[in-house]
Amino acid sequence: MSKPSKIYFSRPHVTAREIELVTSAIASRRLSGDGDFTRACESKLSTLVGAPVLLTNSGTAALDMAAMLAGLKPGDEVILPSFTFSSTANAVVLRGAVPVFVDVDPGTLNIDPRRTAEAVTPRTRAIFVVHYAGVGADMDAIGAIATQHRLLVLEDAAQALGASYRGRPLGTFGDFAGVSFHDTKNVTSGEGGCLIVNRAGRLGEAEVAREKGTNRKAFFRGEVDKYTWVDVGSSYVPSELNAAFLLAQLERLDEINRERVGQWERYMAALAPLQGTGLLRVPHVPPECVHNGHLFYLLLADARAQSDFIAFMRTREITTPFHYVPLHSAPAGRRYGRVHGSMAVTEDIWQRLVRLPIYPGLGADQDRVLDAIQAWVAAR
Ligand SMILES: *Cc1c(COP(=O)(O)O)cnc(C)c1O
């Protein structure tokens, strides 16, 4: 019997349109950023979320900008989940501020509002929420805590483009939000991201931070007659090559998200009935959240089941990775951060979580994934 083909966990969806637009960017000889392709992407994204958007060279860069624009200073504290990517906490640490890790809600794996409220001190400046798997954090509760204590809200919406909470797009609840276009995300430019500027009147500052601290953008609009260094910033502008690729992806955002959501629902329909075995649990999406099919995970019984599942799936050439090692227990998390309260949920779930293949073009291979899961369950 020949070996079955490998099923990846994630694959970018590429068509002739990406090649056409990148070719056209090359032909234009305008390769640096903020040209027609960048503006076209920003305009599409801005229409989608209903707020000003600046393209950045990564999701991480957008989160760094968000922390910079929040005016975080050494000694300030920012409350965030431990179950997230390093970038969320790095953005805080790069400002000299202290990440204060709290536990997540066992249903959504998003920041737990009760733990968040308990973690507020006189030094707290902001709450940094993450919308894990493109499912919104509890923004009603987080918004109430932020209002009560006059805190800023920052959103790591890296996984959340096209998802909403009570009908409002994720990425529009915080003062600033970062989205990622890394090639594991729903739409991609290889590496890329964008900053959503929800704070009225702060777009100018964001433009300066993004352009190495200069007022270059204002200069090109004819608002100043020379451009110069006006504030702190860095190089966060992506190349037109990346923007051209991204534009082709954004043209298909609805199509891509629809296909992913279709696969997500298929996993849900097939796997939710297996919860009765006690061997696995499927994701929980609160009724106020519309997700974007970014990822479908399973929570297995324990750490042994996780490694056993991953190894079993690998024998069938199916990639089902685990996810974050909690930041509070990571070497840098211990050095730069602090924990508030019990981390019981985080410490439990990361050892039991596996992610299933989901991407446009997965097609009939989804049957192979489902068959393999059925076989794994049956063998237990
Ligand atoms: C992908 C991701 C990031 C980082 O985005 P990059 O574009 O890879 O820099 C940050 N936070 C979360 C939650 C992510 O999923």
Side-chain angles (χ1 to χ4, degrees):
M1 218 176 80
S2 70
K3 212 167 121 179
S5 62
K6 185 176 168 77
I7 301 179
Y8 294 91
F9 156 66
S10 158
R11 298 227 90 187
H13 187 245
V14 182
T15 69
R17 183 69 172 152
E18 278 78 358
I19 297 167
E20 180 193 339
L21 294 188
V22 172
T23 304
S24 142
I26 294 169
S28 77
R29 294 297 191 277
R30 166 63 192 268
L31 304 184
S32 62
D34 273 339
D36 292 344
F37 286 109
T38 304
R39 272 192 294 275
C41 289
E42 289 177 346
S43 146
K44 266 191 183 303
L45 288 162
S46 175
T47 303
L48 179 74
V49 300
V53 171
L54 295 173
L55 229 52
T56 58
N57 40 31
S58 67
T60 302
L63 300 178
D64 289 352
M65 285 182 71
M68 191 183 285
L69 292 161
L72 298 180
K73 291 183 308 299
D76 287 348
E77 294 177 354
V78 176
I79 302 168
L80 76 170
S82 169
F83 189 65
T84 180
F85 195 54
S86 59
S87 302
T88 330
N90 260 322
V92 173
V93 173
L94 281 168
R95 311 314 317 155
V98 180
V100 176
F101 298 113
V102 296
D103 211 352
V104 290
D105 174 88
T108 60
L109 312 188
N110 282 325
I111 192 165
D112 183 334
R114 200 168 45 107
R115 298 284 179 211
T116 303
E118 290 165 5
V120 174
T121 73
R123 282 215 242 266
T124 309
R125 282 277 296 153
I127 304 170
F128 214 146
V129 302
V130 180
H131 305 299
Y132 184 66
V135 175
D138 184 347
M139 295 318 294
D140 284 349
I142 295 297
I145 298 164
T147 305
Q148 186 190 344
H149 298 281
R150 299 165 179 271
L151 307 175
L152 297 176
V153 174
L154 304 175
E155 282 177 275
D156 181 338
Q159 304 176 5
L161 192 67
S164 63
Y165 177 90
R166 295 200 195 285
R168 182 167 149 194
L170 296 180
T172 65
F173 289 84
D175 296 86
F176 305 98
V179 173
S180 168
F181 302 123
H182 185 263
D183 78 358
T184 51
K185 303 305 198 286
N186 291 22
V187 293
T188 181
S189 50
E191 304 278 354
C194 71
L195 176 78
I196 305 173
V197 183
N198 297 308
R199 261 293 185 94
R202 302 293 301 279
L203 181 61
E205 264 169 83
E207 287 175 351
V208 166
R210 177 172 169 271
E211 263 289 8
K212 303 101 189 164
T214 73
N215 53 359
R216 191 160 185 269
K217 248 184 130 86
F219 169 74
F220 282 114
R221 282 195 296 259
E223 294 164 12
V224 292
D225 63 358
K226 286 187 192 65
Y227 82 83
T228 184
W229 184 27
V230 293
D231 209 333
V232 176
S234 191
S235 179
Y236 296 126
V237 181
S239 139
E240 280 282 282
L241 297 174
N242 293 67
F245 191 98
L246 182 64
L247 184 59
Q249 297 265 306
L250 290 174
E251 288 174 350
R252 299 199 307 283
L253 174 67
D254 288 346
E255 187 191 321
I256 289 171
N257 282 2
R258 215 177 306 124
E259 189 165 346
R260 296 183 76 114
V261 169
Q263 291 165 356
W264 192 101
E265 283 170 354
R266 192 141 177 256
Y267 278 135
M268 193 56 141
L271 300 173
L274 298 181
Q275 292 189 116
T277 62
L279 295 172
L280 58 84
R281 204 208 86 188
V282 296
H284 170 67
V285 179
E288 59 274 19
C289 296
V290 174
H291 69 87
N292 59 0
H294 176 61
L295 67 86
F296 192 98
Y297 62 83
L298 293 176
L299 287 172
L300 305 175
D302 52 30
R304 251 186 69 196
Q306 184 195 53
S307 53
D308 186 68
F309 181 93
I310 292 171
F312 178 86
M313 298 300 272
R314 198 179 294 130
T315 64
R316 298 188 173 215
E317 296 293 316
I318 303 169
T319 319
T320 55
F322 58 88
H323 217 173
Y324 312 119
V325 175
L327 298 184
H328 75 279
S329 62
R334 289 194 223 215
R335 196 171 330 137
Y336 298 114
R338 145 170 113 60
V339 167
H340 183 91
S342 160
M343 282 290 177
V345 178
T346 301
E347 275 162 4
D348 172 45
I349 53 97
W350 80 276
Q351 306 186 65
R352 303 198 281 121
L353 187 146
V354 292
R355 295 175 288 162
L356 304 185
I358 191 164
Y359 51 88
L362 176 62
D365 278 349
Q366 193 174 7
D367 296 326
R368 257 177 68 199
V369 179
L370 286 169
D371 288 348
I373 296 171
Q374 296 281 1
W376 182 79
V377 167
R380 308 231 109 208

